[in-house]
Every structure is written in structure tokens, then in C-alpha cells.
């Protein structure tokens, strides 16, 4: 029977591939994690494939938390080797890692990334913000006439008379993004302290921790929208809403200057220069984490880590800086640490 | 009750007209209802056609520009000492970039284009992939060292966008990657014929590129990934699906158990595809230790998804073969198996193939399950070196590649995402047309 032979041949072929596949060693590096780090990691991966004899690493995105979770599932060929993160790894995650046998982790800081606040190019004149403006516009409870009240403001002008009289429509990163954490700490919490709302909360009998938590909670009446997708989604929302103000990474803004205009924060315009000097207040370090146990097992892993932070790539003249990364002034120390495979304590 | 109806019915009935030529009230009403229904139908079709046209227009207007690409021709002298020095450094391509920069400055000088930009700034008009292309050529053709080789390098995505009308001079005011001064240079080079636009073969046959060089990105490798996945689906889903349906339809006793199986197969067809992705991650990667991001795993997951479609369509086409054929075969002494394989199956084949092709087309456009098994991301692999690697080395798939491009910052990627959709649609249309032709030519009606 022709048909029967065909069926059995096909089944055999696939089964054979499957079995031998399991036995074959993996020879390319697997990376996952932050979508903020993804562009940099992809630039490095591409250059790594171009410049060395190792195959081009595979870089997946999905968010810092998702990446670190995947990273911590264990040691072995079917787990990832590197996790990209737009925030430092948390105690809790280190513990989860240790429980699964991932103990020796090398932390590598690749540089800094600025977070910018941008709106439609032809929209209302959002040109200057302060953390207090953002807290008053987005905080769940704000200080009005000396009293803590549920956020009453409907327009930016109500929150601060210097701002345009436009409806509040903010598009901020969702909680699975590392960017959200920076936004909460460097903008909302700062604004909460600046406006005196924090003090009022503590005075009303809240503990310091509870007050901090309350400061970082965002109003839920629809004026602030969490974006769980990528910056392209935020951009689409702003394209559709003239009054929209969104939170972006500096590199994303620099690629879309024809559609977006950026606002200053506390009087400082975001740029690689102001971020590297620390003048621009809303920035954060970017990291990747390497499993030491995989060095020597997965070919090219240590070379990839060293290549990533080499002066030619991560330095202030390199392609990463060209794309929007703010290079780390202490890059040399990081290079030494990676060369010595120094793990976290 | 009956009394009431009996008495009221004649009262509510309108008076009948006396002549057949005269249209009475009721007929008018019925005719009006029919006319209204026709208009509703036309309206529904109109809305459908409107959305289809709107979709096609937006896809074509956004995506067609991905099929052209601007390039710049430069004769590069390959000097032995320069290449040796470049090969000794860590980031070799940065040294090759310096070589290209020097050539570009020389070129502008001979072309009579004056500029005060340094080589690094000047190189922003070219793709950052140019040094890699140069190095690849040198490694592949060591004999060419010492000669001058004419190259066609891609221009950067913004220069390309300028010629396509996507980037305007006004928009460059805030842009740190390109200035108006760059555009003056490329305008002059274009007049002299050094900068030309042509069909973008790189887009059809190339692989994915990093965020800094969208101009180099292509969908070719992802196409190969999709091809291998479809191969796995075809080799697994067709035999398993057909075997299962033949057994259920022709051999299985009709009892509770087979009823439960039947209902579950129908249910399986309605399970959201992401569920199969989670299943694939747990079963194939975490349990069976198959490699991540491999088309083999993608194919296995899509097989699970396609199986119910194939089983349902196969059973339908087996059912449509009249019982008289089976009876006749059995009557002249064929065994049950012979009657099925010699007579019923060949007659049902066109229907089975149609169902399979439609199932494959569905699987080809699926992204969600691939998200979970690592096939979405920056997977800029080269073409697999062999059939074996084709199944196992990391690769993406066409819809996953489109999804990935749509997320990236540079608008040039967005254009490519639409271009990718055009290619994907062409594949889907071809498959559906083949299915229709098969059905038209071979299907027998009873």
C-alpha cells in the first residue's frame, strides 16, 4: 500500500528527528527578558554573530520579571543563559533562583536609560513637567487645600496652572514592566514628597511604608491608562488622542521624533548628556544576568558577556550609545568583574 | 380558547381582493418584506466588501514600500594591510566601517560634493550593516584582496524613508541620527546615479536584523522556519488525523465511549491556540527536553492545533461517500479494510486534502502558541545549513516575525511588518486557491 508506506515513513522520520534533537547539544546562547534592553541586546547579538565564529544568540523579550522568572527555572541546556532586566534583580528572585539551583549569578550593568514624557507633536504644549505635576495629575490621593482628598483634577491646568488646559490622559507602562517601577519611585514618590502629600499621610497616622505605598498608587478612574504592551502601543494611543501624554524610553523617542515632542522634567531636557551627568532625574540602570554554571557549557557565553560591555560596543562612541543607551562611566570596572566571573553575593 | 381564536381570526384578516391582477394588502406586505430583506443582504455584503477593501488598501499602501530599497554604490579597494589589521581587533566590523568611511569621503570628493562632516557622521547615510557585508565578502573571496571591488551597500533606514516620502526634512529637526545636510548629499549622489532604488531582494530572502538596521531586515529565514513547521504539521497531522477519522467512521463501534471522543474532538477544535502553546512549553520543552525556539517544537504544537480541523473535515468527506460503494465492495468479497482503502478513501481524498490545506493555512498564520515556545524575538539566524538543522536550529515564523517588527521603535520596521503581511497573505491565498481547485476538479457529487 502506497499510502501506508507514506504514513509510516513520515512518522518514522519525525520521531527520529525528535529523539536525536533531544540528544543534540545547544550551541547558541539563549537570552530573554526586558523589552527595553531588547534593542541593545539584538544589536550586540547581531554584531556578535558577525564578528565571531559563534552563532548569533537568540534574544526574546517579554519583560524583566518574565525573563528573570525564566532565568530562575533551573540550570541546564533547556533553560536560558542570560536574562535582560531594566531593573536590578530582587531578593525574592535571587531566593527563587537559589531554590532551583541557580546560585552563581553574574550581574552586568550595561549602561543607563532615560525615561521621557512625550506627547503628540501638534498637541497641547506639554513642554515642562515636574514630579509634583505628575503626582497631582495621577496620584490616587492628593493634597488639596491642606487636606488629603481623592484626586479631584480633570485637566492638567487644574493640577498646575502653568500646564495646558487639556484633559488628563496619561499612558504609563503596566506593572509587568521594569519602567513602571522607575516611574513610581522617581516621579510619583518624588512628587508625593514634594507636594507634601507624603507628610500629610504620615501625620494622619500611616506608617512610613504604607504612606510610600499610597504615594505610588495611581488613580483608577480611567485618566491614567496602564499599557501592558510595548512603546509602539503607547505611541498608537497618543496618535489617537491629542491630549495624551505617554511615558517612553529615550531611545524610542529618538526614533520617533517626527511624531512626538518631549517635555523637560524639573527643567532638564532629556538627552544622553543630561542623563549621564545625572541632571535629568528619571533614569535607571540596565542589566543583564548570566548563569555562571553555563559558562564553559554553552559555547561563547562568556565571550558574549565580554563583547556586550566592550568599549567598542557599550562605550560612548559605540553603536549602543548611537541607538540611545547612556553609557556607564564605570564600564571598566564592569569589564573587570565579567573577566573574573565575579558573581553576586 | 378555540372559540376565541375562531371568532377573532376572520376579523383580523384583511379583506381579500376580488381580482388576481390586483395586488392585495397581504401580498404587498410580503413583497415589501422580501425587498427589505434583499436590501439588508446587500447592505451586509456591502459592509463586508467595504472592510475588505479598506483592509487591502491599508495593507498595500503601508506595505508596498517595503519592497523597494535604496542603495549606494561604492568601489572599495581591498588593501591587504588594512584587512589584516581589522581582523586582529575585537570588533572587526568597526575597523571595516573605517575603511568604508574613507572610501565614502573619497567618493564625495571625486563627485564634487562638499561637506564638512567627519567620516563617522557621514556614515549615518549608510546602513550599519555595510561593514558586516564587506567583511563577509572578504572572508568568502580572499582572492579579491588587492583589487577594487564595486559594492552596493544599503542606505540607512532614514535615507531610504526620505526617498519613499516617509521621512521629511522637517521631521529631521529633532533627529540625532540624520540631518538635512545628509539629505543634500544623498540628493546630489542620486542625481549622479550613485544612489539608486531597486527591488528589495534583501527583504524577501534576508534574515531579521537588529533595531539599529531595519533596512537590512528580511523575512526569508522566517519563511524557511514556517516551511519546516508546516512540514512537521503535514507529516504528523495528516496521517494521524486520517487514521483517527477512518477508525472512528468505519471501524469503531457506536457506543458511549466513541460519542465522548467525538464530542471532545469537536471541543478541541474550539480551544484557543494559546492553550496549545502552554501545553507545548510544558510537554515538549520542559518534559521532553526538545530545544527552544525550534521549528520542530513549533510544528508539534501546531499539529495539536490542526488535528481536530483535519479529523472533522476527513470525517465529513468519508461520510459523504455513499454507503452503496462500501456495500458493493463488500458484496464482491472485499474485506472491510480493502473496501475502505481501495474505494472509500480514494473517493474521499479531495475533501481530505482540502481540509488539510485549510488547516495548514490556519496554522501558517498562527502566532500565539509560538510566543510561549520562544519563536518570537530577535532570532537573526542564518539559513539552516541542512534539513536536520532546519528542524532544530532556532528560527522564527512569518507571523511571529511580523509581530516582532510591529513592536519595534523605528518606523521602517513598521513598514516591513506590513510588507510581511502582504507576503503572508500571498501564501494563504495560494493555499486556499489550491484547495478550491482540488475541490472543483476532483470532488465527486453523488
Amino acid at each position: 500500500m502506497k499510502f501506508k508506506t507514506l504514513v509510516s515513513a513520515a512518522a518514522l522520520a519525525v520521531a527520529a528527528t525528535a529523539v536525536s534533537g533531544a540528544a543534540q547539544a545547544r550551541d547558541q546562547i539563549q537570552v530573554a527578558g526586558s523589552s527595553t534592553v531588547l534593542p541593545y541586546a539584538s544589536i550586540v547579538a547581531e554584531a556578535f554573530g558577525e564578528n565571531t565564529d559563534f552563532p548569533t544568540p537568540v534574544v526574546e523579550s517579554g519583560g524583566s520579571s518574565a525573563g528573570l522568572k525564566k532565568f530562575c527555572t533551573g540550570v541546564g541546556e533547556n533553560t536560558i543563559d542570560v536574562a535582560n532586566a531594566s531593573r536590578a534583580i530582587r531578593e525574592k528572585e535571587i531566593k527563587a533562583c537559589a531554590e532551583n539551583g541557580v546560585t552563581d549569578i553574574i550581574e552586568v550593568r550595561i549602561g543607563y536609560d532615560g525615561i521621557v514624557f512625550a506627547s503628540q507633536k501638534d498637541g497641547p504644549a506639554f513642554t515642562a513637567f515636574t514630579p509634583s505635576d505628575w503626582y497631582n495629575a495621577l496620584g490616587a490621593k492628593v493634597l488639596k487645600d491642606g487636606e488629603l482628598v481623592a484626586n479631584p483634577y480633570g485637566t492638567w491646568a487644574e493640577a498646575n496652572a502653568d500646564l495646558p488646559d487639556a484633559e488628563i490622559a496619561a499612558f504609563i507602562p503596566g506593572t509587568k514592566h521594569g519602567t513602571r517601577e522607575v516611574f513610581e519611585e522617581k516621579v510619583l514618590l518624588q512628587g508625593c514628597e514634594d507636594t507634601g502629600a507624603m507628610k500629610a499621610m504620615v501625620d494622619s497616622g500611616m506608617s512610613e511604608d504604607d504612606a510610600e505605598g499610597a504615594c505610588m498608587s495611581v488613580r483608577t478612574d480611567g485618566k491614567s491608562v496602564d499599557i501592558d504592551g510595548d512603546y509602539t502601543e503607547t505611541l498608537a494611543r497618543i496618535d489617537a488622542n491629542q491630549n495624551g501624554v505617554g511615558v517612553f524610553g529615550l531611545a524610542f523617542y529618538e526614533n520617533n521624533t517626527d511624531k512626538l515632542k518631549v517635555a523637560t522634567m524639573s527643567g532638564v531636557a532629556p538627552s544622553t548628556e543630561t542623563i549621564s551627568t545625572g541632571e535629568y532625574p528619571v533614569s535607571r540602570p540596565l542589566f543583564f544576568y548570566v548563569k555562571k554554571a553555563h559558562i564553559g557549557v554553552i559555547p561563547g557565553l562568556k565571550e558574549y558577556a565580554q563583547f556586550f560591555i566592550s568599549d567598542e560596543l557599550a562605550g560612548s562612541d559605540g553603536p549602543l550609545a548611537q541607538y540611545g543607551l547612556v553609557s556607564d562611566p564605570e564600564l571598566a570596572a564592569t569589564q573587570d568583574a565579567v573577566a573574573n566571573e565575579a558573581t553576586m553575593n | 380558547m378555540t372559540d376565541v381564536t375562531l371568532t377573532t381570526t376572520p376579523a383580523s384578516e384583511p379583506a381579500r381582493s376580488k381580482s388576481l391582477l390586483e395586488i392585495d394588502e397581504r401580498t404587498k406586505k410580503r413583497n415589501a418584506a422580501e425587498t427589505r430583506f434583499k436590501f439588508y443582504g446587500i447592505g451586509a455584503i456591502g459592509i463586508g466588501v467595504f472592510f475588505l477593501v479598506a483592509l487591502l488598501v491599508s495593507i498595500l499602501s503601508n506595505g508596498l514600500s517595503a519592497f523597494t530599497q535604496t542603495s549606494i554604490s561604492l568601489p572599495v579597494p581591498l588593501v591587504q594591510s588594512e584587512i589584516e589589521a581589522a581582523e586582529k581587533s575585537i570588533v572587526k566590523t568597526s575597523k571595516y566601517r573605517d575603511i568604508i568611511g574613507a572610501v565614502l569621503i573619497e567618493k564625495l570628493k571625486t563627485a564634487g560634493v562638499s561637506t564638512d562632516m567627519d567620516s563617522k557622521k557621514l556614515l549615518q547615510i549608510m546602513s550599519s550593516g555595510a561593514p558586516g557585508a564587506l567583511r563577509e565578502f572578504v572572508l568568502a573571496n580572499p582572492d579579491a584582496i588587492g583589487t577594487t571591488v564595486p559594492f552596493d551597500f544599503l542606505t540607512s533606514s532614514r535615507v531610504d524613508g526620505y526617498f519613499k516620502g516617509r521621512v521629511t526634512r522637517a521631521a529631521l529637526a529633532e533627529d540625532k541620527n540624520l540631518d538635512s545636510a545628509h539629505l543634500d548629499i544623498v540628493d546630489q549622489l542620486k542625481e549622479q546615479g550613485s544612489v539608486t532604488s531597486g527591488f528589495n531582494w534583501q527583504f524577501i530572502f534576508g534574515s531579521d536584523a537588529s533595531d539599529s538596521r531595519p533596512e537590512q531586515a528580511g523575512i526569508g529565514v522566517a519563511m524557511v522556519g514556517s516551511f519546516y513547521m508546516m512540514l512537521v504539521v503535514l507529516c504528523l497531522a495528516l496521517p494521524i488525523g486520517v487514521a483517527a477519522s477512518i477508525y472512528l467512521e468505519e471501524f469503531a463501534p457506536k457506543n458511549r465511549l466513541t460519542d465522548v471522543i467525538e464530542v471532545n474532538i469537536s471541543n478541541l477544535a474550539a480551544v484557543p491556540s494559546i492553550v496549545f502553546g502552554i501545553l507545548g512549553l510544558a510537554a515538549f520543552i520542559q518534559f521532553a527536553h526538545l530545544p527552544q525556539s525550534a521549528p520542530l517544537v513549533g510544528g508539534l504544537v501546531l499539529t495539536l492545533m490542526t488535528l481536530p480541523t483535519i479529523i472533522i473535515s476527513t470525517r465529513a468527506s468519508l461520510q459523504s461517500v455513499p454507503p452503496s460503494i462500501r456495500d458493493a465492495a463488500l458484496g464482491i468479497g472485499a474485506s472491510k479494510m480493502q473496501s475502505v482503502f481501495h474505494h472509500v478513501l480514494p473517493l474521499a481524498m479531495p475533501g481530505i486534502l482540502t481540509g488539510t490545506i485549510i488547516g495548514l493555512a490556519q496554522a501558517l498564520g498562527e502566532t500565539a502558541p509560538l510566543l510561549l515556545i520562544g519563536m518570537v524575538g530577535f532570532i537573526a539566524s542564518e539559513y539552516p545549513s541542512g534539513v536536520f538543522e532546519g528542524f532544530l536550529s532556532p528560527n522564527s515564523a512569518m507571523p511571529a516575525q511580523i509581530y516582532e517588527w510591529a513592536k519595534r521603535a523605528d518606523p521602517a520596521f513598521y513598514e516591513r511588518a506590513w510588507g510581511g503581511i502582504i507576503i503572508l497573505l500571498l501564501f494563504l491565498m495560494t493555499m486556499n486557491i489550491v484547495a478550491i481547485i482540488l475541490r472543483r476538479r476532483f470532488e465527486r457529487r453523488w
Side-chain angles (χ1 to χ4, degrees):
Chain A
M1 286 298 321
K2 233 198 263 167
F3 185 71
K4 265 199 293 187
T5 11
L6 188 79
V7 170
S8 40
L12 261 178
V14 170
T17 333
V19 170
S20 48
Q24 198 200 33
R26 174 155 68 85
D27 59 358
Q28 61 280 107
I29 301 163
Q30 290 265 4
V31 185
S34 168
S35 42
T36 311
V37 184
L38 175 75
Y40 306 118
S42 71
I43 291 170
V44 173
E46 188 171 61
F48 187 67
E50 239 170 40
N51 279 295
T52 64
D53 297 331
F54 300 107
T56 307
V58 173
V59 192
E60 291 172 60
S61 65
S64 306
S65 305
L68 284 167
K69 199 171 164 196
K70 239 178 156 179
F71 183 77
C72 290
T73 47
V75 173
E77 261 178 33
N78 66 328
T79 60
I80 60 169
D81 313 306
V82 177
N84 294 327
S86 56
R87 56 169 173 79
I89 190 168
R90 296 185 182 124
E91 273 307 310
K92 214 167 62 188
E93 287 162 339
I94 295 177
K95 235 179 244 167
C97 261
E99 275 168 23
N100 292 322
V102 186
T103 45
D104 286 336
I105 304 170
I106 304 173
E107 181 181 71
V108 186
R109 189 175 61 211
I110 59 169
Y112 293 84
D113 173 48
I115 291 169
V116 306
F117 302 85
S119 57
Q120 229 183 66
K121 189 130 200 163
D122 312 314
F126 294 111
T127 50
F129 286 119
T130 61
S132 310
D133 296 340
W134 276 87
Y135 183 73
N136 279 334
L138 292 195
K141 275 196 163 38
V142 297
L143 205 59
K144 196 185 186 193
D145 306 326
E147 263 179 82
L148 271 180
V149 290
N151 199 327
Y153 303 123
T155 66
W156 288 95
E158 286 172 27
N160 175 356
D162 294 338
L163 289 171
D165 189 15
E167 193 123 353
I168 296 174
F171 300 99
I172 62 175
T175 42
K176 73 165 193 173
H177 288 284
T179 316
R180 172 63 171 261
E181 199 168 295
V182 187
F183 173 73
E184 285 176 350
E185 277 169 15
K186 302 241 162 129
V187 180
L188 289 182
L189 190 60
Q190 184 67 40
C192 188
E193 280 168 16
D194 293 352
T195 55
M198 174 101 172
K199 190 167 178 301
M201 285 177 197
V202 174
D203 289 348
S204 71
M206 271 172 137
S207 76
E208 191 106 354
D209 279 355
D210 285 350
E212 271 189 20
C215 278
M216 292 193 280
S217 62
V218 172
R219 66 197 296 184
T220 50
D221 55 0
K223 301 243 184 263
S224 162
V225 180
D226 278 15
I227 303 286
D228 274 328
D230 291 273
Y231 292 135
T232 34
E233 192 186 337
T234 316
L235 178 66
R237 294 295 199 95
I238 286 183
D239 252 347
N241 185 346
Q242 221 199 353
N243 293 331
V245 183
V247 178
F248 295 97
L250 178 68
F252 188 91
Y253 159 72
E254 285 185 339
N255 270 298
N256 289 280
T257 46
D258 52 333
K259 296 190 199 84
L260 294 171
K261 70 167 182 295
V262 75
T264 58
M265 181 53 80
S266 307
V268 184
S271 70
T272 43
E273 291 79 35
T274 53
I275 291 164
S276 66
T277 56
E279 273 176 272
Y280 185 76
V282 201
S283 69
R284 37 81 188 274
L286 302 177
F287 301 93
F288 68 87
Y289 294 89
V290 183
K291 267 180 209 165
K292 193 176 173 182
H294 283 198
I295 291 180
V297 179
I298 306 295
L301 182 55
K302 187 175 176 185
E303 287 83 352
Y304 169 77
Q306 286 185 306
F307 190 77
F308 203 131
I309 48 163
S310 64
D311 288 327
E312 285 87 347
L313 279 155
S316 52
D317 260 350
L320 298 188
Q322 175 100 21
Y323 189 77
L325 182 77
V326 178
S327 55
D328 187 350
E330 291 158 25
L331 201 59
T334 317
Q335 286 164 355
D336 284 345
V338 172
N340 299 328
E341 299 178 20
T343 58
M344 298 173 75
N345 299 314
Chain B
M1 282 300 272
T2 30
D3 289 338
V4 180
T5 25
L6 273 178
T7 47
T8 50
T9 316
S12 67
E13 202 170 285
R16 276 174 189 270
S17 65
K18 302 286 182 290
S19 158
L20 276 176
L21 297 174
E22 206 177 298
I23 297 168
D24 65 17
E25 277 300 303
R26 263 169 69 177
T27 316
K28 264 189 192 159
K29 247 184 167 170
R30 290 195 318 199
N31 287 349
E34 192 178 315
T35 320
R36 276 201 306 276
F37 181 76
K38 275 187 193 161
F39 277 113
Y40 295 152
I42 292 171
I45 290 174
I47 292 172
V49 169
F50 170 76
F51 280 118
L52 185 69
V53 169
L55 191 74
L56 281 180
V57 166
S58 76
I59 288 175
L60 290 178
S61 64
N62 279 310
L64 278 180
S65 56
F67 291 91
T68 55
Q69 169 69 41
T70 324
S71 56
I72 177 168
S73 53
L74 279 184
V76 181
L78 301 173
V79 182
Q80 177 102 35
S81 58
E82 280 178 9
I83 285 163
E84 272 169 10
E87 284 299 323
K88 273 185 198 134
S89 63
I90 310 171
V91 184
K92 302 169 183 79
T93 43
S94 71
K95 295 284 181 282
Y96 281 96
R97 200 184 60 179
D98 296 343
I99 297 178
I100 295 177
V103 174
L104 187 59
I105 288 180
E106 198 57 37
K107 165 109 189 164
L108 291 184
K109 244 185 225 162
T110 51
V113 181
S114 64
T115 172
D116 49 2
M117 280 187 254
D118 60 5
S119 115
K120 186 173 184 235
K121 189 139 174 69
L122 207 52
L123 277 173
Q124 287 178 342
I125 66 170
M126 299 204 0
S127 167
S128 61
L134 178 61
R135 175 164 190 253
E136 207 175 303
F137 177 84
V138 170
L139 293 190
N141 307 287
D143 301 341
I145 295 175
T147 59
T148 299
V149 182
F151 275 93
D152 270 334
F153 293 120
L154 303 175
T155 57
S156 72
S157 65
R158 282 176 176 74
V159 170
D160 186 45
Y162 169 64
F163 287 120
K164 287 173 183 168
R166 178 162 47 77
V167 174
T168 58
R169 277 167 191 270
L172 289 179
E174 305 281 322
D175 202 320
K176 68 165 196 173
N177 289 310
L178 202 73
D179 293 332
S180 285
H182 285 115
L183 295 182
D184 296 337
I185 295 173
V186 291
D187 272 341
Q188 292 179 52
L189 287 178
K190 176 138 188 149
E191 262 170 42
Q192 298 176 0
S194 302
V195 171
T196 48
S197 289
F199 188 78
N200 194 356
W201 291 109
Q202 175 81 20
F203 177 62
I204 312 246
F205 296 113
S207 63
D208 192 12
S210 75
D211 284 61
S212 66
R213 47 176 95 153
E215 59 280 352
Q216 202 193 315
I219 202 163
V221 176
M223 258 193 251
V224 172
S226 277
F227 169 75
Y228 278 106
M229 277 183 359
M230 291 306 110
L231 214 58
V232 174
V233 175
L234 190 67
C235 290
L236 284 177
L238 185 62
I240 296 176
V242 171
S245 357
I246 290 178
Y247 179 76
L248 277 177
E249 203 53 49
E250 306 285 342
F251 295 97
K254 294 273 169 273
N255 59 21
R256 252 219 173 163
L257 185 68
T258 46
D259 280 351
V260 168
I261 291 174
E262 244 165 74
V263 169
N264 274 312
I265 288 173
S266 308
N267 280 342
L268 213 56
V271 168
S273 55
I274 190 102
V275 175
F276 291 110
I278 296 178
L279 187 72
L281 176 68
F284 299 129
I285 293 178
Q286 287 167 356
F287 178 73
H289 292 295
L290 289 177
Q292 286 197 37
S293 317
L296 175 68
V297 180
L300 289 173
V301 169
L302 293 178
T303 300
L304 296 180
M305 210 194 78
T306 321
L307 258 182
T309 318
I310 291 183
I311 293 179
I312 289 169
S313 69
T314 305
R315 295 192 62 187
S317 50
L318 286 175
Q319 272 162 10
S320 71
V321 176
S324 56
I325 304 269
R326 295 180 184 85
D327 295 343
L330 294 176
I332 56 167
S335 72
K336 180 94 185 175
M337 179 119 175
Q338 282 172 327
S339 90
V340 170
F341 280 93
H342 292 180
H343 302 282
V344 179
L345 195 60
L347 288 170
M349 233 6 171
I352 297 174
L353 288 182
T354 311
T356 308
I357 292 173
I358 288 173
L360 279 182
Q362 208 183 350
L364 183 66
E366 198 60 64
T367 323
L370 306 182
L371 274 173
L372 291 157
I373 54 169
M375 293 188 76
V376 180
F378 175 71
I379 309 169
S381 42
E382 289 134 23
Y383 278 98
S385 47
V387 178
F388 193 73
E389 283 74 20
F391 286 112
L392 291 169
S393 61
N395 206 334
S396 193
M398 277 196 276
Q401 186 68 72
I402 292 167
Y403 172 73
E404 182 61 32
W405 282 341
K407 290 195 304 183
R408 295 201 186 151
D410 194 312
F413 276 118
Y414 195 64
E415 169 190 285
R416 277 169 166 69
W418 286 98
I421 290 171
I422 293 178
I423 293 181
L424 186 60
L425 279 181
L426 284 179
F427 272 97
L428 295 179
M429 261 165 59
T430 318
M431 289 172 86
N432 283 331
I433 288 171
V434 168
I436 290 171
I437 291 174
L438 276 179
R439 198 162 52 204
R440 280 279 161 82
R441 293 202 59 176
F442 298 109
E443 194 171 51
R444 287 177 71 171
R445 301 209 171 269
W446 309 92

